[in-house]
Amino acid sequence: MRSIVFWLITVVVLAGKGNGQLVENFYASTCPMVELIIKQAVDTKVSQTFTTIPATLRLFFHDCFVEGCDASVIIASPNGDAEKDAPDNLSLAGDGFDTVNKAKQAVESVCPGVVSCADVLAIAARDVVVAAGGPLFNVQLGRRDGLISQASRVTGNLPLPTFNVNQLNTMFSRHNLTELDMIALSGAHTLGFSHCNRFANRLYSFSSSSKVDPSLNPTYAQQLMNACPQNVDPDIAINMDPETPTTFDNVYYQNLVAGKGLFTSDQVLFTDPSSRSTVNDFAKNLGDFNRAFITAMRKLGQTGVKTGNQGEIRRDCTSFN
C-alpha cells in the first residue's frame, strides 16, 4: 500500500512541475536575490533608453521560437553565423542584448555559475512588461543554456509580417501555443517599432487591384505613407502602436478594430472571423488581455527548455563555456 501511495505522490509532483520541469523559486537556496538583482539591472537600463523594453521582450520571443528558450540567440560568433546573424534576427535591437548581458554580469558578481542566461532573459522579459505598465507575474525557472546557435536554423521558424491566421496558428502550435495564446502574445506589439520595409507592400504594392491594403484605415495609411515614402531610409522606424507606443496596454487591439494594425499579421487577427471575437474582447477588457498574456508568456517560456544535465550554465551569455 505504501509503495502505491508513494508512486501516486511521485506522479502528482512530476505532473505539477509541467513541461521541462521548470519551477518558481528555482534559485531559492542557490541565489535567492536573483530576481531583485535582475530587476535593478533592467530598471537601470530602462531609465537610460525606452528601447530596452520592446527590445528585451522581442529577444525573448525570438529566442524561444528557435532552439527553445535557451539564450542561443545571444551567442556572438566571430564568423557571423550564429542565430543572431540570421536575416530575420538582424533587426533585433542591441539594447535587448545589452540588458541581458548587464543583468547576467550583475548576477554573476553575487552568484557565479548558478543562474543561466536563459533564465536571466525570461525574468528580464517579465520585468520590462511591468516597467511599461503591464501585469506582474511569476516566472518559472530552471532553464539551462543551449549549446547550438546557428543562423541556418532560424529560417522558417519565426512568424513573418505577411502571415495570415492559419499560418500564425500553424507556427505557434508547434510550441504548444493555442490561437488564444497567439493573439495574446501579438499584443506585445503594443510596444516597440518596425522599419518601413516590413510593411511597405501594404502601402504601395498590395495587389493588382489595389496598391493600398483595403483593410488599412485610410487616414492611418496616409500617415504611414508620409512617414515611409517609397525608397525611404531603411533605418527609419515607425511605432507599432500609433496611439500609446510606450505603454503596455490593450490599445493594440483597439487599433486593430479601427484598421490600424501595422503588419498584415496584426490586422488579420481582426479581419479573420476565427480570431475577431478574441480581438474584440481584448479591445474592451484589459483584464482579459492581461490574464491571457500571462498564461501565454508562461507557456512560451516552457518552449524547448533544457533542464537537469542538458546544456550548460554560461558564464558569459555571448559565448559557450
Side-chain angles (χ1 to χ4, degrees):
M1 182 67 180
R2 259 186 206 173
S3 61
I4 294 174
V5 171
F6 176 77
W7 178 81
L8 286 172
I9 291 173
T10 302
V11 169
V12 170
V13 169
L14 288 176
K17 286 190 173 185
N19 184 17
Q21 298 186 348
L22 301 181
V23 293
E24 294 173 16
N25 301 317
F26 181 83
Y27 300 104
S29 60
T30 55
C31 191
M33 299 292 286
V34 60
E35 295 200 44
L36 178 60
I37 295 168
I38 292 173
K39 183 180 185 302
Q40 290 173 339
V42 168
D43 287 348
T44 297
K45 181 71 180 173
V46 169
S47 70
Q48 295 166 351
T49 171
F50 175 81
T51 306
T52 296
I53 293 176
T56 305
L57 187 54
R58 188 166 177 239
L59 189 66
F60 179 61
F61 183 93
H62 279 234
D63 181 50
C64 292
F65 262 50
V66 182
E67 306 295 346
C69 308
D70 65 353
S72 53
V73 74
I74 305 176
I75 290 291
S77 167
N79 302 318
D81 58 0
E83 202 173 297
K84 67 183 293 186
D85 301 308
D88 287 341
N89 281 333
L90 292 178
S91 62
L92 290 170
D95 287 304
F97 295 96
D98 192 45
T99 299
V100 177
N101 290 329
K102 286 182 175 174
K104 170 66 169 176
Q105 290 163 10
V107 171
E108 283 294 299
S109 69
V110 178
C111 312
V114 172
V115 182
S116 67
C117 296
D119 277 348
V120 171
L121 174 53
I123 294 170
R126 183 272 313 276
D127 289 347
V128 295
V129 168
V130 175
L136 176 64
F137 56 94
N138 293 329
V139 178
Q140 295 171 304
L141 303 169
R143 299 167 189 79
R144 288 171 65 87
D145 298 322
L147 299 172
I148 297 172
S149 181
Q150 297 176 3
S152 60
R153 294 187 178 225
V154 176
T155 303
N157 287 312
L158 291 170
L160 299 176
T162 55
F163 271 12
N164 60 36
V165 170
N166 285 338
Q167 290 170 313
L168 290 168
N169 281 334
T170 298
M171 181 163 286
F172 278 69
S173 67
R174 294 182 202 165
H175 307 294
N176 196 35
L177 296 165
T178 65
E179 180 172 277
L180 181 64
D181 298 325
M182 178 272 289
I183 298 169
L185 289 171
S186 296
H189 285 175
T190 191
L191 302 166
F193 54 85
S194 176
H195 297 287
C196 297
N197 65 344
R198 301 288 283 177
F199 55 86
N201 67 300
R202 300 188 70 201
L203 303 175
Y204 301 109
S205 57
F206 182 71
S207 70
S208 58
S209 59
S210 176
K211 288 185 177 181
V212 180
D213 184 343
S215 68
L216 268 173
N217 176 295
T219 302
Y220 182 52
Q222 189 58 56
Q223 291 172 350
L224 292 177
M225 285 188 275
N226 292 342
C228 293
Q230 288 181 288
N231 303 315
V232 69
D233 183 334
D235 291 331
I236 295 295
I238 302 299
N239 287 326
M240 296 289 293
D241 176 350
E243 305 299 332
T244 58
T246 61
T247 305
F248 189 94
D249 54 24
N250 61 335
V251 173
Y252 164 80
Y253 300 100
Q254 296 169 15
N255 290 337
L256 299 187
V257 174
K260 296 180 181 179
L262 189 62
F263 293 159
T264 296
S265 58
D266 294 312
Q267 195 58 51
V268 293
L269 301 181
F270 181 72
T271 57
D272 192 305
S274 73
S275 48
R276 183 181 301 144
S277 61
T278 301
V279 170
N280 280 325
D281 175 45
F282 289 171
K284 296 172 183 175
N285 194 319
L286 176 61
D288 284 358
F289 164 53
N290 282 343
R291 283 186 288 273
F293 183 79
I294 290 171
T295 298
M297 280 289 283
R298 285 167 63 93
K299 287 174 67 175
L300 174 64
Q302 296 176 353
T303 300
V305 294
K306 285 78 179 168
T307 58
N309 295 320
Q310 299 171 316
E312 64 181 8
I313 304 296
R314 260 179 248 151
R315 292 184 291 270
D316 176 348
C317 292
T318 65
S319 59
F320 301 119
N321 289 345

